[in-house]
Amino acid sequence: MAYTQPRGRQKVCYYYDSDVGNYYYGQGHPMKPQRIRMTHNLLLNYGMYRKLEIYRPYRAEYHEMTKFHSDEYIRFLKSIRPDNVADYGKQMQRFNVGEDCPVFEGMYEFFQIATGGSIAGAVKLNRGHTDIAINWSGGLHHAKKSEASGFCYVNDIVLAILEMLKYHDRILYIDIDIHHGDGVEEAFYTTDRVFTVSFHKYGEYFPGTGDLRDSGAGKGKNYSLNFPMRDGMDDFTYERCFKPIIKKVMEHYRPSAIVLQCGADSLTGDRLGCFNLTLKGHGMCVEYMKSFGLPMLLLGGGGYTIRNVARCWTYETAVALHCHEDLSNELPYNDYFEYFAPDFKLHIEKNNMTNQNDNVYLERCMEKLTENLRSITHAPSVQMYERPEDSIDAEQITVPKNGVGDTQFKGNIDKLGGGQAYADNNTGDDDEFSEAEAKVL
Ligand SMILES: [Zn+2]
């Protein structure tokens, strides 16, 4: 008991900007930043604000983004607007902005918020001021050095990991989004200081990478791990893959910090997904990673049936707080209550789709991955180096003025910024049930 209790009571910091739900990718686009506000509102109404330390993140600046991205790419993102796209035709093509990654109003600020939350969380963890940091606006794993991809423009994950590397010799990155975590894998493909693990649907599916045999290169050989999966993955099978693999990675690699990308498009019924996970199967990953008691950054990612994204990240915030078993399955009344019709329950049921991940296939994958893990150096060491300065002064990040942990806060935070932009843009025929959707990623 004495052993497990401290782990159950880890301190959790949570980053949220009330403006984030106002950004809008455009009509018919499946990526809806509003899901972050729905999550926030739901977890507040569950009373979790009493246990969380809530921060409004600072906005990440150009010079921070260019620690990974190229100068010309970030300069382009900063300059382009819906009213000047005509001047940027060539660059839009070059940086893959236009279709899946459209130009939208205020997009650079949106990236600043998402990135700021992840870097602020990283700094907070580095200082030892929290055990877990959460930024559901982050987790945009497809963005490349000089290219937008899969609704992601700025890779907040890579930037947060770079910040954490100032304090940690070895970091474990785990990605449970249904899509391959290609941008993060690529950034750290040739180093042994970041071990990347991605569980994803593979085979005629975006982004097309993440083959079982792709395991890193050079010094990073065998420090990238890919578990390709097929349609219909359910809770039971996912746990059978996730736990043994991660247990081995932890034993062999011995990281000192964890970054977990919790993309919710791996849930059952996702608009773009094809897995069959419930909140319990998805949240199991958070619960299991938390059990190691290491500093952990929890990030969002994909998730396109937005009522389920809000359910999932609310539940996972509760897992981080170790109060998920106390959450009522009856949703509390909240600003988005009607979205949760017809049952108004927290938990979702799996459907009857066939699980195409049969035993023979899974065992072949497990065998190959275990073999790779056996060949890595146990806990590779890092040469002494001078620690670079923190990106931001953690003490400068302040709690939002409208208060935390009191009832006044609960009523106010979502009214800030109003949701007016969303209301103005939303014509009503663009809900998540819409058939006319952008290219499926
Ligand atoms: Zn995804």
Side-chain angles (χ1 to χ4, degrees):
M1 205 58 189
Y3 177 69
T4 53
Q5 214 175 26
R7 292 184 175 186
R9 293 212 186 153
Q10 288 159 335
K11 182 173 164 185
V12 184
C13 287
Y14 167 94
Y15 293 85
Y16 176 74
D17 188 310
S18 52
D19 288 345
V20 79
N22 297 336
Y23 297 96
Y24 186 69
Y25 275 58
Q27 194 164 351
H29 200 290
M31 178 58 106
K32 298 183 187 304
Q34 195 203 9
R35 68 207 178 118
I36 312 294
R37 181 161 57 204
M38 286 173 69
T39 303
H40 181 74
N41 193 265
L42 187 55
L43 66 88
L44 288 187
N45 281 290
Y46 262 117
M48 282 185 234
Y49 60 92
R50 293 190 200 98
K51 296 174 183 167
L52 286 170
E53 218 166 84
I54 303 184
Y55 292 91
R56 171 175 240 153
Y58 80 110
R59 298 190 173 188
E61 295 295 340
Y62 172 89
H63 70 273
E64 294 171 278
M65 296 184 188
T66 52
K67 284 178 179 160
F68 170 58
H69 295 285
S70 67
D71 291 5
E72 64 257 78
Y73 175 57
I74 298 299
R75 215 177 300 133
F76 161 77
L77 291 181
K78 206 175 167 181
S79 319
I80 194 156
R81 297 186 310 268
D83 62 5
N84 69 8
V85 286
D87 307 335
Y88 287 91
K90 224 173 163 181
Q91 288 195 57
M92 283 175 65
Q93 222 172 12
R94 179 168 156 222
F95 298 128
N96 193 33
V97 167
E99 286 185 33
D100 296 330
C101 301
V103 175
F104 61 90
E105 198 67 50
M107 59 192 250
Y108 186 69
E109 289 152 30
F110 176 69
F111 311 149
Q112 287 186 293
I113 294 170
T115 305
S118 299
I119 296 178
V123 170
K124 195 93 175 160
L125 290 164
N126 281 348
R127 296 276 180 92
H129 292 175
T130 191
D131 302 303
I132 298 176
I134 300 178
N135 177 28
W136 296 130
S137 309
L140 304 171
H141 60 171
H142 295 306
K144 308 288 172 13
K145 185 178 175 186
S146 295
E147 203 180 297
S149 171
F151 320 152
C152 309
Y153 307 68
V154 175
N155 201 314
D156 62 290
I157 312 173
V158 170
L159 293 166
I161 292 176
L162 289 174
E163 188 64 34
M164 290 166 80
L165 284 170
K166 294 176 183 172
Y167 284 72
H168 293 277
D169 289 349
R170 290 181 304 282
I171 295 171
L172 172 59
Y173 171 71
I174 302 170
D175 191 313
I176 60 170
D177 192 283
I178 195 168
H179 301 100
H180 177 227
D182 58 344
V184 185
E185 179 185 274
E186 188 179 294
F188 301 112
Y189 206 60
T190 58
T191 180
D192 57 7
R193 291 198 55 202
V194 181
F195 197 119
T196 64
V197 180
S198 179
F199 298 87
H200 49 266
K201 151 81 181 170
Y202 184 71
E204 290 173 37
Y205 203 66
F206 184 86
T209 48
D211 191 281
L212 180 68
R213 292 161 298 187
D214 296 341
S215 61
K219 231 184 154 204
K221 183 73 195 157
N222 293 326
Y223 294 93
S224 294
L225 187 153
N226 285 298
F227 203 128
M229 293 169 162
R230 296 172 175 168
D231 289 18
M233 178 55 78
D234 61 19
D235 291 353
F236 177 76
T237 315
Y238 203 81
E239 184 167 356
R240 272 182 56 207
C241 300
F242 187 87
K243 283 189 172 169
I245 289 291
I246 294 299
K247 185 165 179 278
K248 285 199 179 76
V249 172
M250 293 298 292
E251 284 166 6
H252 285 262
Y253 188 62
R254 300 195 169 277
S256 57
I258 294 165
V259 177
L260 179 56
Q261 195 267 19
C262 303
D265 45 10
S266 40
L267 291 175
T268 184
D270 186 80
R271 178 173 161 185
L272 302 187
C274 55
F275 281 0
N276 203 6
L277 299 181
T278 73
L279 303 199
K280 286 176 184 162
H282 201 271
M284 172 277 300
C285 304
V286 179
E287 208 175 340
Y288 188 61
M289 295 326 297
K290 181 177 149 71
S291 73
F292 293 98
L294 293 175
M296 179 157 73
L297 182 60
L298 283 186
L299 302 172
Y304 306 100
T305 297
I306 59 176
R307 59 184 184 278
N308 290 345
V309 178
R311 286 172 159 122
C312 181
W313 292 344
T314 294
Y315 178 72
E316 289 172 356
T317 305
V319 170
L321 290 168
H322 207 67
C323 65
H324 56 294
E325 279 163 7
D326 308 330
L327 286 190
S328 165
N329 195 30
E330 301 295 326
L331 291 173
Y333 189 74
N334 64 83
D335 290 356
Y336 303 93
F337 199 60
E338 70 279 8
Y339 282 66
F340 301 100
D343 63 329
F344 307 101
K345 298 269 196 283
L346 173 65
H347 285 282
I348 56 176
E349 303 287 331
K350 72 171 190 170
N351 61 35
N352 63 358
M353 75 191 292
T354 310
N355 183 356
Q356 292 179 22
N357 299 276
D358 57 79
N359 282 337
V360 177
Y361 171 72
L362 292 175
E363 267 159 36
R364 185 168 68 81
C365 292
M366 297 284 265
E367 215 168 282
K368 167 74 180 147
L369 297 173
T370 310
E371 188 188 307
N372 288 356
L373 280 168
R374 271 199 296 265
S375 63
I376 72 168
T377 317
H378 272 253
S381 59
V382 173
Q383 289 198 325
M384 291 289 284
Y385 61 97
E386 208 178 319
R387 173 168 295 151
E389 266 184 43
D390 290 351
S391 271
I392 42 165
D393 183 351
E395 306 310 323
Q396 296 283 307
I397 312 166
T398 51
V399 175
K401 233 176 49 206
N402 51 331
V404 171
D406 60 22
T407 45
Q408 170 210 354
F409 170 65
K410 192 179 166 219
N412 281 345
I413 190 144
D414 261 336
K415 306 295 182 277
L416 294 178
Q420 197 50 51
Y422 183 79
D424 290 346
N425 282 318
N426 193 356
T427 54
D429 55 357
D430 176 32
D431 64 22
E432 61 187 279
F433 311 104
S434 165
E435 288 303 313
E437 54 185 46
K439 192 169 107 194
V440 171
L441 292 186

